[in-house]
Each structure stands twice: as structure tokens, then as C-alpha cells.
Amino acid sequence: MKKQLNLKQSDFIAAGATGSIYRLDTYNGIHRVIKLAKTQEVASILRNEAAIYQIMNNTCKYIPKYYESGIYQNNLTGETQFGIVIEYINHDTLLANMMYVTSKNINKIFTNILKILECFHNHNFVVKDVKPDNFLFDPETNRIWMVDLGLVGYCPFKWTECKNFTGTLRYISNRCHDHVNTYYDDIESSVYTIIFCYYGYLPWKIIKLPEWSDVDYRNRIKDIKESGKFNNMVDIFPPIADIYHDVHELDENNESLCKKPDYSVFWKILNRERYE
């Protein structure tokens, strides 16, 4: 059964690849938004996101609270769209707040990103699209929230080859160019994310030349990721660098790739500086 929306143009917040976001009324004093699927083709991504929210709801404080999902009649466009109603987090993305990522708080922000990944990994989920656009950030408290959960899926039992990578090319691990995402690839992507936010670039941000095929372009980026050029950027942050090298250098035949990471090891590494 379709639910009728009563939106105003002023309720519009943002539009993305999967749909548009509008403010709704409050519920028990909490502000809410609705995310409406852009097309029928991407509605499946939002349906997956709704399912993930329902599983994670009330078990992870690092994602917006989920309220409901279903088919809605958009009064502004006249369209019938699938939508998700979630809590409104009134903060901009980590990408938009890059100027607040400094040498003083980079370890703290990275720690908070790993706490989010730990929540998903504890539920056997792989995020697959860890990037600055998908985190909301409060620069006053360094708190982070994960949004856009449409690509989240269960970790594979076996690390297998895939024809098309999942995620965003700039932030996926070098392994994900050829194979499915695992827990450790999420962690590697989180390192690329925080280092990008600190410097504003990554070494493999290159322009695709007309004579390059998509495969050529991806392979050139992969070659740069494997070249060691990134090491000079991350190595000035020893705790993050130690975690990066541990996960980046895992061999494709390493059985631990599909096993949950021991986050207690990461917390010890990240807390080490406090006591030195």
C-alpha cells in the first residue's frame, strides 16, 4: 500500500546517485528524513539498504536510527517511489569537512571510522564502499556516522575473483580490483579515506586518456597503489601506517581475509602513542 507524502520544495536536502533526500516531521522529538529511490533500477539498492538498517538498528550507535521503508507517492513529482525513513543527522560529510582533519585528530577520526567497521564486521557484513562521502562528521566532537549502506553485504566464505569491482575506484584496496571485498579491504579503504581527507589527494588520482580502456585505466591505478608511493603519505602517522601495512600486505591466499579481524590489536596500536 502506497503512503502519501506531503513534501515541500524547502524540505529538499540533497540528491545522490541512488535518490533524493527530504526532511520529514519529527518523531518522539527526533528529526527524520526520507530517502527516495531515483529510479526503479536503483530501488533494489535502497531495498538492500533498508534491510541492512533493520538488522543493524539499535545495535550500532554509529548509523542513523531506522524507522520504516516502503512505497511512497511523492506529491512533488507525482512519482511512486521506494523510500527509507531514517534519523536526520544534521552534519555534513567528512569530504566536506576535510579542513578539520589535522595531525592532532587524525588518529581519533580514524579510530571512530574503525569502530563503525567493527559494528558491521561483527554482523558478518562488508561495507564495500568506504569513502569520505559516506561518513557524516561533527568537527567539534570528531564523531562519525556511516550513511549510504546500499552496497553492504555479507562477507564471502571464500575470497573469489570478480569481473567488476564493487565500490569507488579511488578508495578500493588493490585486491578489490580483481577479487570480491573482504573485511580487510574495508579497513584498507578506511586508510585511503582518512589520508585523502588529510592531504586532499591520493597518488593514483590520474586523468583517463582517450586511448585507455576502462581496464587499462583501472590497471594503471592498481599499479600506482602497489608501487609504494602511498607509503610516504601514510608513514608519518605510525599507528595508521602499521595497520595499513598489516592489511595491505595480506597475500591473496591468506585464509584470514575472510575471517573477522581482531580489533583489539588495532586498538592497542592506535592507543600506543598515548603511553610513549
Side-chain angles (χ1 to χ4, degrees), residues 14-60:
T18 55
S20 299
I21 301 174
Y22 295 87
R23 290 184 184 86
L24 289 178
D25 55 356
T26 60
Y27 181 80
N28 288 341
I30 297 177
H31 296 289
R32 303 184 301 168
V33 296
I34 187 167
K35 187 175 184 180
L36 295 169
K38 189 175 184 178
T39 64
Q40 291 298 321
E41 288 73 21
V42 301
S44 60
I45 297 176
L46 283 196
R47 290 180 187 277
N48 181 68
E49 185 169 5
I52 300 299
Y53 268 118
Q54 290 177 68
I55 294 171
M56 299 286 289
N57 207 26
N58 298 321
T59 66
C60 182

Short mmCIF file of all heavy atoms in Angstrom, two decimals, residues 14-60:
data_model
loop_
_atom_site.label_atom_id
_atom_site.label_comp_id
_atom_site.label_asym_id
_atom_site.label_seq_id
_atom_site.Cartn_x
_atom_site.Cartn_y
_atom_site.Cartn_z
N ALA A 14 19.30 16.98 -0.31
CA ALA A 14 20.37 16.62 -1.24
C ALA A 14 19.90 15.53 -2.19
O ALA A 14 18.88 14.87 -1.94
CB ALA A 14 21.61 16.15 -0.47
N ALA A 15 20.65 15.37 -3.27
CA ALA A 15 20.38 14.29 -4.23
C ALA A 15 21.69 13.57 -4.49
O ALA A 15 22.76 14.18 -4.56
CB ALA A 15 19.80 14.84 -5.52
N GLY A 16 21.61 12.25 -4.63
CA GLY A 16 22.79 11.45 -4.89
C GLY A 16 22.54 10.47 -6.02
O GLY A 16 21.54 10.58 -6.75
N ALA A 17 23.43 9.51 -6.14
CA ALA A 17 23.34 8.54 -7.23
C ALA A 17 22.10 7.67 -7.12
O ALA A 17 21.54 7.23 -8.13
CB ALA A 17 24.59 7.67 -7.26
N THR A 18 21.67 7.40 -5.88
CA THR A 18 20.54 6.48 -5.70
C THR A 18 19.20 7.20 -5.50
O THR A 18 18.15 6.59 -5.67
CB THR A 18 20.76 5.55 -4.50
OG1 THR A 18 21.03 6.34 -3.33
CG2 THR A 18 21.95 4.64 -4.77
N GLY A 19 19.22 8.47 -5.13
CA GLY A 19 17.95 9.15 -4.92
C GLY A 19 18.07 10.49 -4.24
O GLY A 19 19.17 11.03 -4.08
N SER A 20 16.93 11.03 -3.85
CA SER A 20 16.86 12.34 -3.21
C SER A 20 16.44 12.20 -1.75
O SER A 20 15.72 11.27 -1.38
CB SER A 20 15.84 13.23 -3.95
OG SER A 20 16.23 13.43 -5.29
N ILE A 21 16.91 13.17 -0.94
CA ILE A 21 16.64 13.15 0.49
C ILE A 21 15.84 14.39 0.87
O ILE A 21 16.19 15.50 0.47
CB ILE A 21 17.95 13.10 1.30
CG1 ILE A 21 18.75 11.85 0.93
CG2 ILE A 21 17.65 13.09 2.81
CD1 ILE A 21 20.11 11.80 1.57
N TYR A 22 14.76 14.18 1.64
CA TYR A 22 13.89 15.27 2.07
C TYR A 22 13.70 15.21 3.58
O TYR A 22 13.68 14.12 4.17
CB TYR A 22 12.51 15.18 1.41
CG TYR A 22 12.50 15.36 -0.09
CD1 TYR A 22 12.70 14.27 -0.93
CD2 TYR A 22 12.27 16.61 -0.66
CE1 TYR A 22 12.68 14.42 -2.31
CE2 TYR A 22 12.24 16.77 -2.03
CZ TYR A 22 12.45 15.67 -2.86
OH TYR A 22 12.42 15.83 -4.21
N ARG A 23 13.54 16.36 4.19
CA ARG A 23 13.19 16.41 5.61
C ARG A 23 11.74 15.97 5.80
O ARG A 23 10.87 16.29 5.00
CB ARG A 23 13.35 17.82 6.16
CG ARG A 23 14.78 18.29 6.29
CD ARG A 23 14.84 19.68 6.94
NE ARG A 23 16.20 20.19 7.00
CZ ARG A 23 16.80 20.85 6.03
NH1 ARG A 23 16.15 21.07 4.89
NH2 ARG A 23 18.04 21.28 6.16
N LEU A 24 11.51 15.27 6.90
CA LEU A 24 10.16 14.92 7.31
C LEU A 24 9.87 15.59 8.65
O LEU A 24 10.67 16.36 9.18
CB LEU A 24 10.01 13.40 7.43
CG LEU A 24 10.01 12.59 6.13
CD1 LEU A 24 9.90 11.11 6.46
CD2 LEU A 24 8.86 13.02 5.22
N ASP A 25 8.73 15.24 9.24
CA ASP A 25 8.39 15.75 10.56
C ASP A 25 9.25 15.05 11.62
O ASP A 25 10.04 14.17 11.32
CB ASP A 25 6.90 15.53 10.84
CG ASP A 25 6.51 14.05 10.68
OD1 ASP A 25 7.38 13.24 10.28
OD2 ASP A 25 5.36 13.72 10.95
N THR A 26 9.09 15.45 12.85
CA THR A 26 9.82 14.81 13.95
C THR A 26 8.98 13.66 14.52
O THR A 26 7.76 13.63 14.37
CB THR A 26 10.14 15.82 15.06
OG1 THR A 26 8.90 16.36 15.56
CG2 THR A 26 11.02 16.94 14.54
N TYR A 27 9.67 12.72 15.15
CA TYR A 27 9.01 11.59 15.78
C TYR A 27 9.65 11.39 17.13
O TYR A 27 10.86 11.13 17.22
CB TYR A 27 9.15 10.34 14.91
CG TYR A 27 8.48 9.11 15.47
CD1 TYR A 27 7.10 8.94 15.34
CD2 TYR A 27 9.21 8.14 16.14
CE1 TYR A 27 6.48 7.81 15.86
CE2 TYR A 27 8.60 7.01 16.66
CZ TYR A 27 7.23 6.86 16.51
OH TYR A 27 6.61 5.75 17.03
N ASN A 28 8.86 11.52 18.18
CA ASN A 28 9.39 11.44 19.55
C ASN A 28 10.56 12.40 19.76
O ASN A 28 11.55 12.07 20.43
CB ASN A 28 9.82 10.01 19.88
CG ASN A 28 8.64 9.08 20.08
OD1 ASN A 28 7.52 9.54 20.32
ND2 ASN A 28 8.87 7.79 19.98
N GLY A 29 10.44 13.56 19.14
CA GLY A 29 11.46 14.58 19.31
C GLY A 29 12.68 14.43 18.43
O GLY A 29 13.61 15.23 18.52
N ILE A 30 12.71 13.40 17.58
CA ILE A 30 13.87 13.15 16.71
C ILE A 30 13.52 13.57 15.28
O ILE A 30 12.48 13.17 14.74
CB ILE A 30 14.27 11.67 16.74
CG1 ILE A 30 14.71 11.27 18.16
CG2 ILE A 30 15.40 11.40 15.75
CD1 ILE A 30 15.07 9.81 18.30
N HIS A 31 14.36 14.38 14.67
CA HIS A 31 14.16 14.80 13.29
C HIS A 31 14.40 13.61 12.35
O HIS A 31 15.32 12.81 12.57
CB HIS A 31 15.09 15.95 12.93
CG HIS A 31 14.83 17.19 13.72
ND1 HIS A 31 13.72 17.98 13.54
CD2 HIS A 31 15.53 17.78 14.72
CE1 HIS A 31 13.74 18.99 14.38
NE2 HIS A 31 14.84 18.90 15.11
N ARG A 32 13.60 13.53 11.30
CA ARG A 32 13.70 12.41 10.37
C ARG A 32 13.84 12.91 8.93
O ARG A 32 13.48 14.05 8.61
CB ARG A 32 12.46 11.52 10.47
CG ARG A 32 12.18 10.98 11.86
CD ARG A 32 11.01 10.02 11.83
NE ARG A 32 9.80 10.67 11.34
CZ ARG A 32 8.67 10.03 10.99
NH1 ARG A 32 8.63 8.71 11.08
NH2 ARG A 32 7.62 10.69 10.57
N VAL A 33 14.36 12.05 8.07
CA VAL A 33 14.42 12.32 6.64
C VAL A 33 13.91 11.10 5.90
O VAL A 33 13.85 9.99 6.46
CB VAL A 33 15.85 12.64 6.17
CG1 VAL A 33 16.37 13.92 6.81
CG2 VAL A 33 16.80 11.47 6.44
N ILE A 34 13.54 11.31 4.64
CA ILE A 34 13.18 10.18 3.78
C ILE A 34 14.09 10.20 2.57
O ILE A 34 14.37 11.25 1.99
CB ILE A 34 11.70 10.23 3.34
CG1 ILE A 34 11.34 8.95 2.58
CG2 ILE A 34 11.38 11.48 2.53
CD1 ILE A 34 9.86 8.74 2.38
N LYS A 35 14.59 9.03 2.23
CA LYS A 35 15.45 8.86 1.06
C LYS A 35 14.64 8.11 0.01
O LYS A 35 14.23 6.97 0.24
CB LYS A 35 16.70 8.08 1.46
CG LYS A 35 17.76 7.97 0.40
CD LYS A 35 18.99 7.27 0.99
CE LYS A 35 20.14 7.21 0.01
NZ LYS A 35 21.32 6.52 0.61
N LEU A 36 14.40 8.75 -1.14
CA LEU A 36 13.54 8.19 -2.18
C LEU A 36 14.38 7.73 -3.37
O LEU A 36 15.25 8.46 -3.84
CB LEU A 36 12.52 9.23 -2.63
CG LEU A 36 11.50 9.67 -1.57
CD1 LEU A 36 10.72 10.88 -2.05
CD2 LEU A 36 10.55 8.51 -1.23
N ALA A 37 14.10 6.53 -3.86
CA ALA A 37 14.87 5.95 -4.97
C ALA A 37 14.70 6.80 -6.23
O ALA A 37 13.60 7.20 -6.59
CB ALA A 37 14.42 4.53 -5.24
N LYS A 38 15.82 7.04 -6.88
CA LYS A 38 15.85 7.87 -8.08
C LYS A 38 15.11 7.21 -9.23
O LYS A 38 14.37 7.85 -9.98
CB LYS A 38 17.30 8.13 -8.46
CG LYS A 38 17.53 9.14 -9.56
CD LYS A 38 19.03 9.36 -9.72
CE LYS A 38 19.32 10.44 -10.73
NZ LYS A 38 20.78 10.68 -10.86
N THR A 39 15.34 5.91 -9.41
CA THR A 39 14.71 5.14 -10.48
C THR A 39 14.34 3.76 -9.95
O THR A 39 14.78 3.35 -8.87
CB THR A 39 15.66 4.97 -11.69
OG1 THR A 39 16.80 4.19 -11.26
CG2 THR A 39 16.12 6.31 -12.23
N GLN A 40 13.57 3.04 -10.74
CA GLN A 40 13.23 1.67 -10.37
C GLN A 40 14.47 0.79 -10.36
O GLN A 40 14.56 -0.16 -9.58
CB GLN A 40 12.20 1.10 -11.36
CG GLN A 40 10.83 1.75 -11.26
CD GLN A 40 10.19 1.55 -9.89
OE1 GLN A 40 10.30 0.50 -9.29
NE2 GLN A 40 9.52 2.58 -9.39
N GLU A 41 15.46 1.12 -11.22
CA GLU A 41 16.68 0.32 -11.29
C GLU A 41 17.48 0.39 -10.00
O GLU A 41 18.09 -0.61 -9.58
CB GLU A 41 17.55 0.79 -12.47
CG GLU A 41 17.02 0.42 -13.85
CD GLU A 41 15.81 1.25 -14.26
OE1 GLU A 41 15.62 2.36 -13.70
OE2 GLU A 41 15.06 0.79 -15.14
N VAL A 42 17.54 1.56 -9.36
CA VAL A 42 18.33 1.69 -8.13
C VAL A 42 17.50 1.41 -6.88
O VAL A 42 18.04 1.39 -5.78
CB VAL A 42 18.98 3.09 -8.01
CG1 VAL A 42 19.89 3.37 -9.18
CG2 VAL A 42 17.92 4.18 -7.86
N ALA A 43 16.21 1.16 -7.06
CA ALA A 43 15.37 0.86 -5.89
C ALA A 43 15.87 -0.39 -5.16
O ALA A 43 15.75 -0.49 -3.94
CB ALA A 43 13.91 0.68 -6.32
N SER A 44 16.47 -1.33 -5.91
CA SER A 44 16.98 -2.55 -5.28
C SER A 44 18.12 -2.22 -4.31
O SER A 44 18.29 -2.90 -3.29
CB SER A 44 17.46 -3.54 -6.34
OG SER A 44 18.51 -2.97 -7.12
N ILE A 45 18.91 -1.19 -4.64
CA ILE A 45 19.99 -0.77 -3.74
C ILE A 45 19.41 -0.22 -2.45
O ILE A 45 19.88 -0.52 -1.36
CB ILE A 45 20.89 0.27 -4.43
CG1 ILE A 45 21.56 -0.33 -5.66
CG2 ILE A 45 21.93 0.82 -3.46
CD1 ILE A 45 22.39 0.65 -6.46
N LEU A 46 18.34 0.59 -2.58
CA LEU A 46 17.71 1.14 -1.38
C LEU A 46 17.01 0.05 -0.58
O LEU A 46 16.96 0.12 0.65
CB LEU A 46 16.71 2.23 -1.75
CG LEU A 46 17.27 3.61 -2.12
CD1 LEU A 46 16.17 4.65 -2.08
CD2 LEU A 46 18.40 4.02 -1.19
N ARG A 47 16.47 -0.95 -1.25
CA ARG A 47 15.84 -2.07 -0.53
C ARG A 47 16.89 -2.83 0.29
O ARG A 47 16.64 -3.23 1.43
CB ARG A 47 15.14 -3.02 -1.51
CG ARG A 47 13.89 -2.42 -2.16
CD ARG A 47 13.24 -3.40 -3.12
NE ARG A 47 12.17 -2.79 -3.86
CZ ARG A 47 10.91 -2.63 -3.44
NH1 ARG A 47 10.60 -3.08 -2.23
NH2 ARG A 47 10.00 -2.06 -4.18
N ASN A 48 18.05 -3.01 -0.31
CA ASN A 48 19.14 -3.65 0.44
C ASN A 48 19.55 -2.78 1.62
O ASN A 48 19.76 -3.29 2.73
CB ASN A 48 20.35 -3.87 -0.48
CG ASN A 48 21.50 -4.57 0.23
OD1 ASN A 48 21.42 -5.73 0.59
ND2 ASN A 48 22.60 -3.84 0.46
N GLU A 49 19.61 -1.47 1.39
CA GLU A 49 19.97 -0.55 2.47
C GLU A 49 18.96 -0.63 3.61
O GLU A 49 19.33 -0.64 4.79
CB GLU A 49 20.05 0.88 1.93
CG GLU A 49 20.54 1.89 2.95
CD GLU A 49 20.88 3.23 2.32
OE1 GLU A 49 20.65 3.42 1.11
OE2 GLU A 49 21.38 4.10 3.06
N ALA A 50 17.67 -0.69 3.25
CA ALA A 50 16.63 -0.79 4.27
C ALA A 50 16.78 -2.07 5.08
O ALA A 50 16.63 -2.08 6.31
CB ALA A 50 15.25 -0.74 3.62
N ALA A 51 17.12 -3.18 4.40
CA ALA A 51 17.30 -4.45 5.10
C ALA A 51 18.48 -4.39 6.06
O ALA A 51 18.41 -4.89 7.19
CB ALA A 51 17.50 -5.58 4.08
N ILE A 52 19.57 -3.73 5.63
CA ILE A 52 20.75 -3.60 6.50
C ILE A 52 20.41 -2.74 7.71
O ILE A 52 20.77 -3.07 8.85
CB ILE A 52 21.92 -2.98 5.72
CG1 ILE A 52 22.32 -3.85 4.53
CG2 ILE A 52 23.12 -2.75 6.64
CD1 ILE A 52 22.77 -5.24 4.89
N TYR A 53 19.70 -1.63 7.48
CA TYR A 53 19.29 -0.78 8.60
C TYR A 53 18.46 -1.56 9.62
O TYR A 53 18.64 -1.40 10.84
CB TYR A 53 18.48 0.41 8.10
CG TYR A 53 19.29 1.65 7.80
CD1 TYR A 53 19.34 2.18 6.51
CD2 TYR A 53 19.99 2.31 8.80
CE1 TYR A 53 20.08 3.32 6.23
CE2 TYR A 53 20.72 3.45 8.53
CZ TYR A 53 20.76 3.95 7.25
OH TYR A 53 21.50 5.08 6.99
N GLN A 54 17.55 -2.39 9.14
CA GLN A 54 16.70 -3.14 10.06
C GLN A 54 17.51 -4.12 10.90
O GLN A 54 17.24 -4.31 12.09
CB GLN A 54 15.62 -3.88 9.26
CG GLN A 54 14.58 -2.95 8.66
CD GLN A 54 13.57 -3.69 7.82
OE1 GLN A 54 12.76 -4.46 8.33
NE2 GLN A 54 13.59 -3.47 6.52
N ILE A 55 18.52 -4.73 10.28
CA ILE A 55 19.36 -5.67 11.02
C ILE A 55 20.23 -4.94 12.04
O ILE A 55 20.41 -5.38 13.17
CB ILE A 55 20.24 -6.48 10.05
CG1 ILE A 55 19.37 -7.38 9.17
CG2 ILE A 55 21.28 -7.31 10.80
CD1 ILE A 55 20.12 -8.05 8.04
N MET A 56 20.75 -3.78 11.63
CA MET A 56 21.69 -3.03 12.47
C MET A 56 20.99 -2.11 13.47
O MET A 56 21.63 -1.63 14.41
CB MET A 56 22.61 -2.18 11.58
CG MET A 56 23.45 -2.96 10.59
SD MET A 56 24.82 -3.82 11.37
CE MET A 56 25.88 -2.44 11.80
N ASN A 57 19.72 -1.87 13.27
CA ASN A 57 19.00 -0.89 14.09
C ASN A 57 19.10 -1.24 15.57
O ASN A 57 18.91 -2.38 15.98
CB ASN A 57 17.52 -0.84 13.67
CG ASN A 57 16.90 0.51 13.97
OD1 ASN A 57 17.59 1.53 14.02
ND2 ASN A 57 15.59 0.52 14.15
N ASN A 58 19.41 -0.22 16.37
CA ASN A 58 19.53 -0.35 17.83
C ASN A 58 20.74 -1.17 18.29
O ASN A 58 20.89 -1.44 19.49
CB ASN A 58 18.26 -0.95 18.43
CG ASN A 58 17.04 -0.08 18.18
OD1 ASN A 58 17.12 1.14 18.24
ND2 ASN A 58 15.91 -0.71 17.88
N THR A 59 21.60 -1.60 17.36
CA THR A 59 22.79 -2.34 17.75
C THR A 59 24.07 -1.57 17.41
O THR A 59 25.15 -1.98 17.83
CB THR A 59 22.87 -3.71 17.06
OG1 THR A 59 23.03 -3.53 15.65
CG2 THR A 59 21.60 -4.52 17.33
N CYS A 60 23.94 -0.49 16.65
CA CYS A 60 25.10 0.30 16.26
C CYS A 60 24.76 1.78 16.39
O CYS A 60 23.87 2.28 15.71
CB CYS A 60 25.52 -0.01 14.82
SG CYS A 60 26.98 0.91 14.28
#
